[in-house]
Amino acid sequence: MIEVRNLVSHYGRRKILHEVGLSVAPGEIRVIMGGSGSGKTTLLRHLLGLNRATSGEVRVLGRDLATLDEAGMDALRRQIGVSFQGGALFNSMTVGENVAMPLREHASLDESTLRVMVRLKLEVVNMAGFEHLMPAQLSGGMTKRAALARAIALDPKLLFFDEPSAGLDPVVAVELDELILKLRDALRMTIVVVTHVLESAVKIADRITVLDAGKVIADGPVAEIRDHPNEQVQDLFLRRPRQVEVDADEYLRRLTEDSPR
């Protein structure tokens, strides 16, 4: 479903991803973890075709993203669902209108069928009966579920979550974890989750990829990652503060060098 080989990415002169490799099998829940600034969000943007690689290869659903024109990318994205961290619902639309939007854009359905499809997707995420509410009337957990209903509107083969548990209380976060597992089992989706929430990662993942400073430092099943000898991985799992050593010469160079134009 996903194949990433030797992916290198820059923002300006700064190298963000260093020869990253990743392979995701059909029907798998893959969790991508890492601390702040580890590169996990940049990797997600590459998987969605939003960033262009400096070098390396990103293949999604068998297609090399670097070779796709705009029409090819649009066709590929119809097979992909994305649930963004903040929900990204359109505030001027009701919940039902938000869920219906992908169907209106990409499917030729009459209004009665469209209404049934919207209700069906809301049923899947336990939001039945809330289609007439506005996003401002939703709780944080309801917003996440409504965004998920929109993400699965077109029955995607591949589903991406960006920090699904961020900002949620523990009970709602656990409910969302259960919903992710339900989607994988009931709809046979392949799911990629970017998160820093350890409890959620351990609960839902088939495999975990850990990034640190733009490099893959661990990749494997949950049990293997939990016992991984890498110190940075253990810092993440044991929630230990990292000891940062400062190179005085490097620090001075960063302060005095000219900014890139």
Side-chain angles (χ1 to χ4, degrees):
M1 299 298 281
I2 295 174
E3 188 74 35
V4 180
R5 297 175 184 169
N6 301 317
L7 176 61
V8 176
S9 177
H10 286 79
Y11 288 149
R13 293 190 300 180
R14 184 181 179 191
K15 193 174 185 179
I16 306 299
L17 298 179
H18 302 252
E19 292 80 39
V20 167
L22 176 70
S23 181
V24 179
E28 177 183 323
I29 297 180
R30 172 63 59 94
V31 169
I32 300 173
M33 295 189 69
S36 178
S38 63
K40 58 186 186 293
T41 299
T42 298
L43 176 56
L44 176 62
R45 290 181 62 83
H46 279 284
L47 296 178
L48 295 173
L50 299 175
N51 283 18
R52 184 170 293 276
T54 304
S55 62
E57 183 180 28
V58 179
R59 301 183 70 89
V60 176
L61 301 179
R63 305 297 300 275
D64 184 348
L65 299 191
T67 68
L68 295 180
D69 58 15
E70 186 174 346
M73 200 69 223
D74 285 345
L76 179 65
R77 285 179 177 142
R78 290 184 198 126
Q79 302 178 70
I80 295 172
V82 186
S83 184
F84 298 97
Q85 180 174 344
L89 297 176
F90 291 99
N91 291 327
S92 60
M93 297 181 179
T94 65
V95 168
E97 289 168 341
N98 267 279
V99 177
M101 189 186 67
L103 295 166
R104 290 189 188 280
E105 289 287 327
H106 302 295
S108 299
L109 302 174
D110 60 64
E111 284 300 311
S112 60
T113 304
L114 188 67
R115 285 194 296 271
V116 170
M117 291 298 295
V118 167
R119 289 169 183 167
L120 176 62
K121 300 308 178 182
L122 289 171
E123 284 276 0
V124 170
V125 300
N126 303 320
M127 284 281 288
F130 293 98
E131 60 261 37
H132 301 299
L133 292 184
M134 301 300 290
Q137 298 173 297
L138 304 180
S139 67
M142 292 170 73
T143 298
K144 298 269 189 179
R145 284 184 280 145
L148 177 54
R150 185 179 63 185
I152 65 172
L154 294 172
D155 297 321
K157 297 178 180 178
L158 184 58
L159 184 62
F160 291 94
F161 280 95
D162 186 15
E163 299 286 3
S165 302
L168 301 181
D169 68 62
V171 173
V172 175
V174 169
E175 291 174 350
L176 194 59
D177 290 341
E178 292 289 347
L179 184 55
I180 291 172
L181 292 170
K182 172 184 171 183
L183 283 174
R184 191 271 308 275
D185 296 338
L187 303 181
R188 299 180 181 178
M189 289 181 179
T190 302
I191 300 176
V192 176
V193 180
V194 173
T195 186
H196 68 278
V197 180
L198 179 61
E199 295 83 356
S200 178
V202 169
K203 181 179 178 64
I204 66 175
D206 294 309
R207 294 177 69 90
I208 295 177
T209 299
V210 183
L211 294 179
D212 183 70
K215 300 177 181 178
V216 175
I217 59 172
D219 185 283
V222 175
E224 181 181 310
I225 299 299
R226 193 195 298 271
D227 297 329
H228 201 280
N230 184 283
E231 185 176 352
Q232 282 80 19
V233 175
Q234 288 305 309
D235 287 344
L236 197 63
F237 269 74
L238 299 177
R239 303 182 68 182
R240 294 187 305 216
R242 297 180 59 177
Q243 302 298 320
V244 179
E245 297 183 3
V246 177
D247 184 311
D249 292 336
E250 172 64 16
Y251 178 64
L252 182 61
R253 184 191 65 77
R254 291 202 308 269
L255 291 178
T256 57
E257 71 177 357
D258 291 334
S259 299
R261 296 184 184 275

